[in-house]
């Protein structure tokens, strides 16, 4: 039977999921907690990584290599770049890039290192399933480019630079790490984010205010996807 990894970066992003699991068994590994359990009969392993690309890389790898997960769904919040996105709106990544990866001094584009790619696509089948779930819920689900970096962006100029350089619609701090790991290990993956702020001068204030409610919007959608995947 398949085992689905569900990953967030912060406790607030996975708590609404862990609360709904049956037969939960927690394992501490590499200074992170991994919750094995089932949701409506579907086996899942749920964990939060802590914030940032390095921690996210570790957790995604452990979910796949130690716990044997064969698909990975990420749930969390993001800052909006595209001004069609408002607080609480969902966005799924069509592809992800690293906005803070810079060896342009050697003539390479931003976000590129040799033998890598500027952007990595998420799994088309999982995106299609997400669109089916959205339709059932009467929601419109925006698909776009998500840019990842080890920075909380609270600056209009930086946000606009990321928007123009990568064509990005939203930004966060983990998604592209998960993409690199899953792409290298051939594990289908999906990144969902609900908007918590607009990466502008109000971002830290809005993030604190909307983290919990937006994280729950994303987590609830992920649980509906697990139901659909378990069918
Ligand atoms: N996640 C949510 N909001 C963010 C922001 N403004 N910058 C980076 N990551 C975020």
């Amino acid at each position: 039977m398949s085992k689905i990894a569900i990953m967030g970066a912060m406790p607030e992003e996975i708590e609404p999921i862990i609360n709904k699991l049956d037969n939960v068994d927690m394992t501490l590994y590499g200074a992170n907690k991994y919750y094995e359990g089932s949701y409506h009969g579907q086996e899942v392993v749920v964990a939060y990584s802590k914030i940032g690309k390095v921690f996210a890389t570790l957790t995604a790898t452990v979910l796949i290599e130690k716990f044997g997960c064969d698909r990975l769904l990420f749930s969390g919040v993001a800052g909006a770049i595209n001004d069609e996105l408002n607080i609480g709106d969902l966005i799924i990544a069509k592809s992800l890039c690293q906005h803070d990866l810079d060896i342009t001094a050697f003539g390479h584009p931003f976000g590129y290192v040799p033998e890598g790619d500027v952007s990595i696509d998420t799994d088309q089948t999982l995106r299609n399933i997400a669109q089916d779930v959205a339709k059932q819920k009467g929601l419109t689900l925006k698909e776009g480019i998500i840019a990842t970096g080890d920075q909380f962006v609270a600056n209009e100029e930086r946000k606009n630079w990321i928007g123009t350089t990568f064509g990005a619609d939203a930004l966060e701090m983990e998604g592209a790490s998960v993409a690199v790991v899953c792409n290298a290990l051939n594990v289908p993956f999906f990144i969902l984010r609900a908007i918590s702020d607009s990466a502008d001068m109000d971002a830290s204030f809005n993030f604190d205010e909307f983290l919990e409610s937006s994280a729950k919007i994303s987590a609830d959608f992920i649980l509906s996807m697990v139901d659909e995947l378990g069918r």
Side-chain angles (χ1 to χ4, degrees), residues 3 24 30-32 39-40 50 71 93 100 135 163 184 186 193 198 200 208 210 215 219:
K3 209 193 267 188
V24 182
N32 285 100
Y39 182 70
H40 297 170
K50 303 187 278 280
R71 281 174 288 188
D100 59 350
K135 211 175 282 172
N186 282 316
R193 296 279 186 172
S198 295
D200 54 12
D208 282 344
F210 296 109

Short mmCIF file of all heavy atoms in Angstrom, two decimals, residues 3 24 30-32 39-40 50 71 93 100 135 163 184 186 193 198 200 208 210 215 219:
data_model
loop_
_atom_site.label_atom_id
_atom_site.label_comp_id
_atom_site.label_asym_id
_atom_site.label_seq_id
_atom_site.Cartn_x
_atom_site.Cartn_y
_atom_site.Cartn_z
N LYS A 3 2.32 4.95 0.78
CA LYS A 3 2.49 5.72 2.00
C LYS A 3 2.74 7.17 1.59
O LYS A 3 3.70 7.45 0.85
CB LYS A 3 3.70 5.16 2.75
CG LYS A 3 3.64 5.33 4.25
CD LYS A 3 4.98 5.05 4.88
CE LYS A 3 5.14 3.63 5.34
NZ LYS A 3 6.41 3.46 6.12
N VAL A 24 -1.78 7.08 15.77
CA VAL A 24 -0.56 7.87 15.56
C VAL A 24 0.60 7.31 16.39
O VAL A 24 0.44 7.02 17.56
CB VAL A 24 -0.80 9.35 15.93
CG1 VAL A 24 0.46 10.17 15.65
CG2 VAL A 24 -1.97 9.91 15.15
N GLY A 30 16.69 12.58 13.83
CA GLY A 30 17.43 13.75 13.33
C GLY A 30 16.87 15.05 13.86
O GLY A 30 16.80 16.04 13.13
N ALA A 31 16.42 15.05 15.11
CA ALA A 31 15.88 16.25 15.78
C ALA A 31 14.57 16.75 15.18
O ALA A 31 14.24 17.94 15.29
CB ALA A 31 16.93 17.37 15.81
N ASN A 32 13.83 15.86 14.51
CA ASN A 32 12.47 16.18 14.07
C ASN A 32 11.53 15.07 14.50
O ASN A 32 11.95 13.93 14.66
CB ASN A 32 12.39 16.31 12.53
CG ASN A 32 12.99 17.61 12.04
OD1 ASN A 32 14.12 17.64 11.57
ND2 ASN A 32 12.25 18.68 12.15
N TYR A 39 -5.19 8.18 7.73
CA TYR A 39 -6.31 9.10 7.56
C TYR A 39 -7.34 8.43 6.66
O TYR A 39 -7.06 8.16 5.50
CB TYR A 39 -5.84 10.43 6.94
CG TYR A 39 -6.97 11.42 6.80
CD1 TYR A 39 -7.55 12.01 7.93
CD2 TYR A 39 -7.49 11.74 5.56
CE1 TYR A 39 -8.60 12.91 7.82
CE2 TYR A 39 -8.53 12.64 5.43
CZ TYR A 39 -9.09 13.22 6.56
OH TYR A 39 -10.14 14.10 6.44
N HIS A 40 -8.49 8.11 7.25
CA HIS A 40 -9.54 7.37 6.53
C HIS A 40 -8.96 6.13 5.85
O HIS A 40 -9.28 5.84 4.70
CB HIS A 40 -10.26 8.27 5.53
CG HIS A 40 -10.97 9.42 6.19
ND1 HIS A 40 -11.53 10.46 5.50
CD2 HIS A 40 -11.23 9.69 7.49
CE1 HIS A 40 -12.08 11.32 6.35
NE2 HIS A 40 -11.91 10.87 7.57
N LYS A 50 10.99 22.54 10.31
CA LYS A 50 11.54 23.82 10.76
C LYS A 50 11.75 24.66 9.48
O LYS A 50 11.76 24.14 8.37
CB LYS A 50 12.83 23.71 11.57
CG LYS A 50 12.67 22.83 12.82
CD LYS A 50 13.90 22.87 13.70
CE LYS A 50 14.99 21.94 13.25
NZ LYS A 50 14.75 20.53 13.68
N ARG A 71 4.96 9.26 -2.20
CA ARG A 71 4.48 10.54 -2.74
C ARG A 71 4.62 11.56 -1.62
O ARG A 71 4.53 11.19 -0.45
CB ARG A 71 3.00 10.46 -3.15
CG ARG A 71 2.81 9.80 -4.48
CD ARG A 71 1.37 9.60 -4.82
NE ARG A 71 0.80 8.54 -4.00
CZ ARG A 71 -0.42 8.04 -4.18
NH1 ARG A 71 -1.19 8.49 -5.15
NH2 ARG A 71 -0.87 7.07 -3.40
N ALA A 93 1.91 24.98 -6.68
CA ALA A 93 3.08 25.22 -7.52
C ALA A 93 3.01 24.36 -8.77
O ALA A 93 2.85 23.14 -8.69
CB ALA A 93 4.36 24.91 -6.74
N ASP A 100 17.31 32.73 -4.12
CA ASP A 100 18.53 33.22 -3.47
C ASP A 100 19.79 32.45 -3.91
O ASP A 100 20.84 32.58 -3.32
CB ASP A 100 18.38 33.16 -1.94
CG ASP A 100 18.10 31.75 -1.42
OD1 ASP A 100 17.83 30.84 -2.24
OD2 ASP A 100 18.15 31.55 -0.20
N LYS A 135 -12.66 21.60 -7.61
CA LYS A 135 -13.95 21.66 -8.31
C LYS A 135 -15.07 21.16 -7.40
O LYS A 135 -16.12 21.79 -7.27
CB LYS A 135 -13.89 20.84 -9.61
CG LYS A 135 -14.77 21.39 -10.71
CD LYS A 135 -14.60 20.64 -12.01
CE LYS A 135 -13.34 21.03 -12.77
NZ LYS A 135 -13.08 20.18 -13.93
N GLY A 163 9.57 38.50 -8.44
CA GLY A 163 8.46 38.39 -9.39
C GLY A 163 8.93 38.53 -10.83
O GLY A 163 8.57 37.73 -11.70
N ALA A 184 15.20 14.42 -7.57
CA ALA A 184 16.39 13.56 -7.60
C ALA A 184 16.03 12.12 -7.27
O ALA A 184 16.64 11.18 -7.80
CB ALA A 184 17.44 14.09 -6.62
N ASN A 186 13.02 10.70 -7.65
CA ASN A 186 11.88 10.22 -8.46
C ASN A 186 10.63 9.97 -7.65
O ASN A 186 9.96 8.94 -7.84
CB ASN A 186 12.26 8.93 -9.20
CG ASN A 186 13.09 9.25 -10.41
OD1 ASN A 186 12.77 10.20 -11.14
ND2 ASN A 186 14.15 8.51 -10.61
N ARG A 193 0.11 26.04 -0.96
CA ARG A 193 0.33 27.13 0.00
C ARG A 193 -0.92 27.99 0.07
O ARG A 193 -1.55 28.28 -0.96
CB ARG A 193 1.50 28.01 -0.46
CG ARG A 193 2.85 27.29 -0.50
CD ARG A 193 3.50 27.22 0.85
NE ARG A 193 4.85 26.68 0.82
CZ ARG A 193 5.66 26.67 1.89
NH1 ARG A 193 5.27 27.17 3.04
NH2 ARG A 193 6.86 26.15 1.82
N SER A 198 1.67 39.58 2.03
CA SER A 198 2.04 39.97 0.67
C SER A 198 3.51 40.34 0.53
O SER A 198 3.88 41.10 -0.38
CB SER A 198 1.16 41.13 0.20
OG SER A 198 -0.17 40.68 0.10
N ASP A 200 5.38 42.36 1.82
CA ASP A 200 5.63 43.80 1.81
C ASP A 200 5.95 44.29 3.22
O ASP A 200 6.22 43.48 4.11
CB ASP A 200 4.42 44.54 1.21
CG ASP A 200 3.13 44.17 1.95
OD1 ASP A 200 3.22 43.53 3.04
OD2 ASP A 200 2.05 44.48 1.44
N ASP A 208 2.04 36.93 11.30
CA ASP A 208 1.68 36.54 12.68
C ASP A 208 0.17 36.44 12.85
O ASP A 208 -0.33 35.57 13.53
CB ASP A 208 2.24 37.54 13.69
CG ASP A 208 3.72 37.31 13.95
OD1 ASP A 208 4.22 36.23 13.60
OD2 ASP A 208 4.37 38.23 14.49
N PHE A 210 -2.15 35.86 10.40
CA PHE A 210 -2.88 34.91 9.53
C PHE A 210 -2.22 33.54 9.38
O PHE A 210 -2.77 32.67 8.71
CB PHE A 210 -3.09 35.54 8.14
CG PHE A 210 -3.96 36.75 8.21
CD1 PHE A 210 -3.44 38.03 8.01
CD2 PHE A 210 -5.32 36.64 8.49
CE1 PHE A 210 -4.24 39.16 8.09
CE2 PHE A 210 -6.14 37.76 8.58
CZ PHE A 210 -5.60 39.03 8.37
N ALA A 215 -2.77 28.46 7.38
CA ALA A 215 -2.21 27.10 7.45
C ALA A 215 -3.34 26.07 7.51
O ALA A 215 -3.24 25.00 6.92
CB ALA A 215 -1.31 26.97 8.68
N ALA A 219 -4.09 22.94 5.08
CA ALA A 219 -4.12 21.59 5.67
C ALA A 219 -5.45 20.89 5.36
O ALA A 219 -5.45 19.69 5.02
CB ALA A 219 -3.92 21.69 7.18
#
